[in-house]
Amino acid sequence: MQDDRIDPAAALDAIVERVRTTHDAVGREFPYVADPQTGEWTTTPDGNWCGGHWIGLLHLASDRLSGEPANQLRAAARDHTERMDEYMPRESMFCGMNFRYAGFGGYDRTGDRSLFGLGLTGADAMVEYYHEGARQIPLGELAIKGPDEFRGPESDHGPSGAQIGAVDNIYTALPVLWRAYDETGDPTFRDVAVSHADRHLDWYVRADGSTWHHAVFDPETGELERQYNELARSDETCWARGQGWNVAGLCRAYTETGAQRYLDALELTVGYYRDNSPADEVPYWDFAVSGADEPRDTSAAALVAYGLLGLDPRDESVADLRAYGRTVLASLVDDYLVTDPDAPNVGAVRHGCFNRPGDYAVDDELIWTTYYVARTLERVLDA
């Protein structure tokens, strides 16, 4: 059912135009973050941690276009998939997410069985990297593009990514496992996903509904050593996008299992998000900050809307959550999406904050924000 507060088709058409013009601008590169003043993209050659979002947008846009523009974007999606596949470290939580979008997501739109195989490769990688003692798929060894002090495999300011769990991971690593189980019936995929999701409830969800960013565990035993926040203001506060990843991941866990414990945690953490967000439901980068000098993070809101509007509309127990998801989406479209057809960056979603502590892309257009807003609009149109 469409939301009468927005025109989802017009909003999605604006994003498709942004995908088209971005492709023209970046060519074979992967867009990463865009300057809010010029609209120019910082790019990566391989997608870094989030290349699957761009590949997913290329597929989405090609489905809504026709003729040569559609053919160009389909060809670009294939090319970018090949290069991301070659680059992507298998020992990384991001492998699952990126291979789900490029693999299973590409297969769903094209019917290409090689892309189905790529999705299974991502699921196999997550099973292989799963730490049985910690019951976690670790952060892993991928050098995230960002400021010099941003954690990576050569980091000298913290433990190895092989012994760090992340709040993101309930979303980045698990959905590819749910899909692989649905496709194959192999219980290994389901069992790893459930085990990780249950540990997520123990290690990342606080009693007040806020979340931790990282959990460090003993590499031999898997026992929890400490929790800390890398991208929040402090260990006493809560990183907004981490809360968004948590919401999206819990939505999927509940949808796949129907387990009450995931719904309870979802309601608790959405409650914290609602209670600590401004009136327009788009939070500051950390829930403990506010004011004109502090950036918002539309990527956190996009993840919340995406997760909540992926819940089953036939399930009456989630009706209020879905309604809140529609409210968040309406705010993103009304106040943050550039819809002026004469604007050079029409289709941009403004005010994303990637890494405030590192002062990197703190008020920018972020490619993953665009992806989640676009996919949420698709969900509204398809409902």
Side-chain angles (χ1 to χ4, degrees), residues 256-338:
E256 294 291 339
T257 66
Q260 186 65 39
R261 61 188 181 277
Y262 300 137
L263 180 57
D264 290 344
L266 177 61
E267 291 174 337
L268 178 68
T269 53
V270 170
Y272 182 90
Y273 178 99
R274 296 184 71 164
D275 291 345
N276 292 278
S277 290
D280 71 354
E281 312 300 343
V282 175
Y284 292 91
W285 65 278
D286 183 296
F287 287 106
V289 305
S290 62
D293 294 334
E294 295 290 355
R296 302 289 191 97
D297 186 12
T298 49
S299 73
L303 281 160
V304 167
Y306 171 80
L308 295 179
L309 286 170
L311 294 169
D312 188 345
R314 299 166 297 180
D315 184 347
E316 293 183 1
S317 66
V318 299
D320 289 345
L321 291 169
R322 282 182 53 84
Y324 183 62
R326 290 192 294 272
T327 298
V328 176
L329 177 64
S331 180
L332 286 166
V333 171
D334 285 346
D335 298 331
Y336 296 90
L337 176 67
V338 178

Side-chain angles (χ1 to χ4, degrees), residues 110-365:
T110 67
D112 183 341
R113 291 295 296 183
S114 69
L115 297 179
F116 182 91
L118 183 63
L120 287 178
T121 296
D124 287 339
M126 295 301 90
V127 169
E128 182 66 24
Y129 201 38
Y130 173 71
H131 191 292
E132 291 190 2
R135 291 168 48 202
Q136 286 281 279
I137 300 165
L139 169 66
E141 308 297 334
L142 185 152
I144 299 172
K145 181 177 176 64
D148 290 342
E149 66 269 27
F150 203 49
R151 184 175 306 283
E154 304 304 323
S155 173
D156 60 0
H157 67 284
S160 164
Q163 64 181 101
I164 301 175
V167 67
D168 329 21
N169 220 352
I170 193 171
Y171 184 78
T172 57
L174 300 198
V176 75
L177 296 173
W178 302 121
R179 175 66 183 268
Y181 172 66
D182 290 342
E183 296 289 352
T184 68
D186 184 341
T188 302
F189 297 120
R190 176 201 60 204
D191 293 349
V192 169
V194 169
S195 182
H196 181 113
D198 286 350
R199 179 66 86 197
H200 176 92
L201 301 182
D202 297 333
W203 282 7
Y204 302 99
V205 179
R206 293 159 155 165
D208 66 351
S210 66
T211 49
W212 286 102
H213 182 182
H214 284 314
V216 181
F217 56 86
D218 183 283
E220 299 300 324
T221 67
E223 292 183 4
L224 178 66
E225 294 183 342
R226 66 185 178 97
Q227 295 143 308
Y228 71 100
N229 291 330
E230 182 173 14
L231 290 179
R233 189 185 70 176
S234 72
D235 282 348
E236 287 69 48
T237 63
C238 180
W239 173 42
R241 189 165 63 256
Q243 197 80 357
W245 290 120
N246 164 82
V247 168
L250 287 174
C251 285
R252 186 64 184 270
Y254 173 68
T255 296
E256 294 291 339
T257 66
Q260 186 65 39
R261 61 188 181 277
Y262 300 137
L263 180 57
D264 290 344
L266 177 61
E267 291 174 337
L268 178 68
T269 53
V270 170
Y272 182 90
Y273 178 99
R274 296 184 71 164
D275 291 345
N276 292 278
S277 290
D280 71 354
E281 312 300 343
V282 175
Y284 292 91
W285 65 278
D286 183 296
F287 287 106
V289 305
S290 62
D293 294 334
E294 295 290 355
R296 302 289 191 97
D297 186 12
T298 49
S299 73
L303 281 160
V304 167
Y306 171 80
L308 295 179
L309 286 170
L311 294 169
D312 188 345
R314 299 166 297 180
D315 184 347
E316 293 183 1
S317 66
V318 299
D320 289 345
L321 291 169
R322 282 182 53 84
Y324 183 62
R326 290 192 294 272
T327 298
V328 176
L329 177 64
S331 180
L332 286 166
V333 171
D334 285 346
D335 298 331
Y336 296 90
L337 176 67
V338 178
T339 55
D340 180 356
D342 296 324
N345 64 337
V346 59
V349 184
R350 301 172 298 124
H351 301 309
C353 181
F354 181 21
N355 185 334
R356 177 61 164 169
D359 196 29
Y360 183 86
V362 299
D363 188 21
D364 288 28
E365 180 183 358

